[in-house]
Amino acid sequence: MGAVLATDVEAKEQGILSQATNDRNNAAFMKEIQKFGYRADIYTSGSWANNKMTIKGKTGWVAGYPFVPAGKQWYTNNNAWQWSGSAHFRISYGGFDVSQLYTDYYTAGQKSTVKPTNKDAVKANNQEANKNTSKPSNSAKWVKESKTYALKTAVKLRTGASTASSVIAILPAGTTVKTDQAIIQNGYRWVRQPRFNGYGYLATGPVSNTLEYVKSGAAHTYYTVKSGDSWWSIAQHNGLSMTTLASQNGKMIYTTIYPGQRLVVR
């Protein structure tokens, strides 16, 4: 659930609305998406950004195709800049939209698998990795920890073990989190949660009280999936929302469940 869902805001109907109205609509969209554990963003054209809607720094995916000298970058204060459309960037088998990422918001801190082709690219990638990757101090080491925690309060799930790392999701109180490693660094005790697309990191509490945010070794009630069951039917039977039920089992509501599978319901 680290995916970003971006709304494309540049339709004719949206163009006749006031900036305040578009801002309210955008905020409502992002709030609704975040309920399901996803991250949200706004995609729009450069002529609309901060004109027909507010796009603050370190948010937004802005499209604009200016004629600028080679190497010039635009919208560097935003998450991404789409610098070419399919009519401008073409190769033998078609046209493509091309974007430049300025933050790790869309990649959730994942490293690129594309190998750089020159020394400048290597240097740029190393600088970006050093800036966005959370590394333990020399005296701190990750240790194995196969535990299950229940959150006492809402906790931010991040892309790295640092309060400066991007937020993947806000896990509500009562969420069950299974971990595989732990570390104490930067004033907090952090744990690592294996996820379908990598890992998430959250603090169990400050060093002074390392379990302030969680209950350790929580006892659980399980439900065994039967033929014909669904996320909705199981959630309704146990007084939960589908997203809460899926989240506390480390899954999404779109994940297939099978008869005989055990799910945590309490």
Side-chain angles (χ1 to χ4, degrees):
M1 295 202 298
V4 178
L5 298 183
T7 180
D8 187 344
V9 188
E10 51 186 343
K12 181 187 298 184
E13 294 80 4
Q14 293 160 325
I16 63 176
L17 300 177
S18 68
Q19 181 172 343
T21 299
N22 279 327
D23 285 347
R24 285 195 298 271
N25 291 342
N26 291 346
F29 163 81
M30 299 181 79
K31 183 177 180 181
E32 191 66 22
I33 290 301
Q34 288 164 351
K35 286 181 182 178
F36 292 90
Y38 294 95
R39 294 174 297 145
D41 205 4
I42 304 298
Y43 170 91
T44 192
S45 64
S47 61
W48 281 42
N50 299 316
N51 178 20
K52 296 183 182 295
M53 70 196 68
T54 304
I55 303 295
K56 298 179 180 179
K58 300 308 176 186
T59 68
W61 178 10
V62 184
Y65 316 139
F67 292 99
V68 295
K72 177 73 173 180
Q73 294 181 321
W74 283 33
Y75 307 110
T76 55
N77 289 327
N78 301 107
N79 285 324
W81 167 36
Q82 183 181 315
W83 58 266
S84 179
S86 58
H88 304 82
F89 189 88
R90 303 186 67 84
I91 57 178
S92 59
Y93 49 87
F96 296 87
D97 293 341
V98 187
S99 295
Q100 168 71 47
L101 299 181
Y102 295 120
T103 73
D104 66 354
Y105 186 68
Y106 280 87
T107 60
Q110 297 179 67
K111 295 181 180 179
S112 172
T113 57
V114 179
K115 294 183 179 180
T117 57
N118 55 57
K119 292 182 179 180
D120 290 337
V122 172
K123 182 178 180 181
N125 284 343
N126 288 340
Q127 289 176 338
E128 190 67 18
N130 290 335
K131 180 175 69 174
N132 292 317
T133 302
S134 174
K135 296 182 179 179
S137 63
N138 292 334
S139 60
K141 293 184 178 180
W142 287 95
V143 295
K144 290 185 177 180
E145 181 198 76
S146 298
K147 287 189 177 181
T148 300
Y149 295 103
L151 302 186
K152 294 180 182 179
T153 183
V155 176
K156 293 179 179 178
L157 186 69
R158 298 181 180 273
T159 58
S162 168
T163 55
S165 298
S166 298
V167 176
I168 298 173
I170 299 178
L171 305 179
T175 299
T176 300
V177 178
K178 295 181 179 180
T179 69
D180 69 345
Q181 291 191 11
I183 194 172
I184 292 180
Q185 66 173 4
N186 301 325
Y188 291 90
R189 180 181 184 276
W190 295 87
V191 293
R192 189 175 77 170
Q193 178 199 37
R195 296 169 63 80
F196 75 97
N197 62 345
Y199 297 97
Y201 301 81
L202 64 145
T204 61
V207 172
S208 59
N209 182 349
T210 59
L211 297 180
E212 181 177 345
Y213 308 152
V214 302
K215 299 176 183 178
S216 181
H220 300 300
T221 300
Y222 292 88
Y223 175 83
T224 302
V225 179
K226 300 179 179 62
S227 179
D229 279 339
S230 65
W231 286 114
W232 183 86
S233 64
I234 298 171
Q236 288 291 304
H237 181 73
N238 290 279
L240 301 170
S241 70
M242 288 193 297
T243 51
T244 297
L245 175 62
S247 176
Q248 68 188 24
N249 284 278
K251 304 179 186 299
M252 296 188 296
I253 61 174
Y254 308 108
T255 305
T256 302
I257 54 177
Y258 303 94
Q261 189 173 358
R262 298 180 73 209
L263 298 177
V264 175
V265 294
R266 292 286 188 279

